[in-house]
Amino acid sequence: MKTWYFLAFAIFIASVFSSSGEAMDKKKDTAIVLAMFGTTYPEAISDLAAIKDHVKNAFPDTEVRISFTSHQIRKIWQQRKDDPEWQKRTDIPAEFMDARGLLATVGDLQDAGYRQIVIQPTHLYHGEQFMDLAEYVRGLNSIRTVKKKWMPFSRPIALGRPLLGTWGDLYAYHEDMKQVAEAISPLVEKAREEKAALVLMAHGNEHMSSGIYGEFERVVSEVYPHTCIVIGSVEGYPGIDRILEAVRQRNIKKAVLAPFMIVAGDHARNDMTGPDADSWMNQLERKGVEVIPVLQGLGRLPGVGEIFVRHIRDAAQEEEIQL
């Protein structure tokens, strides 16, 4: 009888450890890829690192990696990686110095045994970069092998939505916009403390009007009705001309000028606050506006990191991926 009890106890202990091992393997099987446009400015890397840290804290048992979607930015970092002077720098994490494209990053994960992947873009809205990213994911998910066991992934790769959301009836982008409006409260509070307007510089594009900025401006005006907030973009409409017209119409004499971009990189340090006569800061100052510049990307705002975490959870749930 004692032998039977001992055998039953041994089987129970073995099953517990076996279940635990399977759970660990399941966790190891899952990864998150943060698909970032990237930046060439070392000072702006902290904006991106803050997002990764936020995501890693939310999913401590899940592998989290980054990739840069900009071919030009990756090329610059590849050149720097082989430069002895850049190799001496200690302020740039190796994963950013060696940032790879999406396909290479996903390929590395697949080779390492990760078969459930969530890709979360850190792009602002459903524009060119996100559309290209979605095509990459669609292509990877279209892979079919003769034998199912040789499929590269056990579940379809999940794709999260951009910061300001996207079209469709699954998630209301109006809610995403409201959450972003609430996330930029530190910038609004700074404008209030300075008794100033808040001028946000977005990126925009030359292909079509970025009407999403106008809609977001309406949302932030509703969330912060007592603060003057104006949004323009570097490329396309609405540009600096609209900002200057708002300055005239609203008699703005003081403004907090900040990037409405994930990083405070090239555009923030040149187009927004650079020494050239056509930088936004210089153009505003020529109109008699006292400018208080903010060289910090949205990536460092905790609320923005939390939005990306929610988008990751939503994407994973759609494909039944356990994080």
Side-chain angles (χ1 to χ4, degrees):
M1 182 64 69
K2 289 183 178 179
T3 302
W4 188 89
Y5 278 122
F6 176 81
L7 181 61
F9 179 75
I11 292 173
F12 171 75
I13 293 296
S15 67
V16 168
F17 278 99
S18 175
S19 299
S20 176
E22 288 176 5
M24 289 176 63
D25 288 341
K26 191 170 186 180
K27 287 294 184 184
K28 292 179 181 178
D29 183 45
T30 306
I32 296 168
V33 177
L34 296 174
M36 305 168 164
F37 182 80
T39 180
T40 60
Y41 277 72
E43 303 88 346
I45 289 292
S46 58
D47 297 333
L48 299 178
I51 295 174
K52 188 190 174 184
D53 290 344
H54 201 104
V55 171
K56 189 60 185 174
N57 289 336
F59 307 104
D61 298 320
T62 302
E63 179 73 5
V64 180
R65 297 194 186 179
I66 66 160
S67 71
F68 283 175
T69 62
S70 169
H71 303 291
Q72 292 178 320
I73 289 176
R74 289 201 311 273
K75 185 176 180 180
I76 290 172
W77 281 110
Q78 287 164 3
Q79 293 170 345
R80 290 174 175 175
K81 185 176 61 174
D82 298 326
D83 186 327
E85 292 303 313
W86 280 90
Q87 291 172 359
K88 295 176 184 177
R89 299 192 62 153
T90 59
D91 58 330
I92 306 170
E95 62 183 337
F96 288 96
M97 180 78 82
D98 193 32
R100 311 187 73 189
L102 181 75
L103 294 180
T105 304
V106 171
D108 288 344
L109 287 169
Q110 194 262 338
D111 282 347
Y114 295 94
R115 302 192 66 209
Q116 299 185 86
I117 297 176
V118 178
I119 296 174
Q120 176 56 50
T122 64
H123 306 126
L124 217 65
Y125 67 100
H126 192 133
E128 177 184 350
Q129 288 287 320
F130 177 76
M131 292 171 73
D132 287 351
L133 183 68
E135 286 302 315
Y136 276 50
V137 174
R138 187 175 293 112
L140 289 168
N141 282 336
S142 71
I143 294 173
R144 294 292 180 270
T145 55
V146 174
K147 294 182 179 178
K148 188 175 180 180
K149 67 178 181 178
W150 299 125
M151 287 284 288
F153 311 107
S154 57
R155 292 186 182 279
I157 294 175
L159 177 63
R161 60 197 188 277
L163 188 66
L164 291 172
T166 185
W167 56 68
D169 58 359
L170 194 56
Y171 304 104
Y173 77 90
H174 309 89
E175 283 301 312
D176 287 326
M177 282 192 169
K178 185 177 180 182
Q179 290 170 3
V180 176
E182 293 168 349
I184 67 168
S185 60
L187 295 175
V188 178
E189 185 58 34
K190 182 174 181 61
R192 285 176 177 170
E193 291 173 357
E194 297 288 349
K195 294 181 173 56
L198 175 61
V199 176
L200 297 174
M201 171 192 264
H203 190 287
N205 69 84
E206 297 175 344
H207 308 299
M208 63 182 73
S209 169
S210 301
I212 193 167
Y213 298 135
E215 186 168 359
F216 182 70
E217 184 180 297
R218 177 185 59 78
V219 172
V220 293
S221 296
E222 292 173 354
V223 175
Y224 308 106
H226 303 299
T227 303
C228 177
I229 302 173
V230 188
I231 302 175
S233 59
V234 181
E235 299 178 6
Y237 179 85
I240 182 62
D241 292 343
R242 180 177 178 275
I243 299 295
L244 297 177
E245 180 61 19
V247 165
R248 185 188 67 78
Q249 290 181 347
R250 305 185 191 187
N251 196 31
I252 296 172
K253 297 301 181 183
K254 190 176 184 181
V256 171
L257 179 60
F260 188 58
M261 305 179 192
I262 295 300
V263 301
D266 179 62
H267 290 300
R269 295 168 195 276
N270 290 303
D271 298 298
M272 191 178 85
T273 60
D276 291 346
D278 62 350
S279 73
W280 282 28
M281 185 168 69
N282 285 334
Q283 291 192 62
L284 286 168
E285 287 179 342
R286 284 199 299 273
K287 294 294 184 181
V289 179
E290 179 186 347
V291 177
I292 303 165
V294 175
L295 286 176
Q296 176 179 309
L298 299 178
R300 265 193 273 180
L301 297 178
V304 168
E306 190 56 36
I307 292 171
F308 285 133
V309 166
R310 285 197 292 269
H311 290 190
I312 289 169
R313 291 190 193 280
D314 290 341
Q317 185 175 18
E318 287 177 46
E319 300 299 344
E320 300 181 344
I321 295 175
Q322 298 295 319
L323 297 174

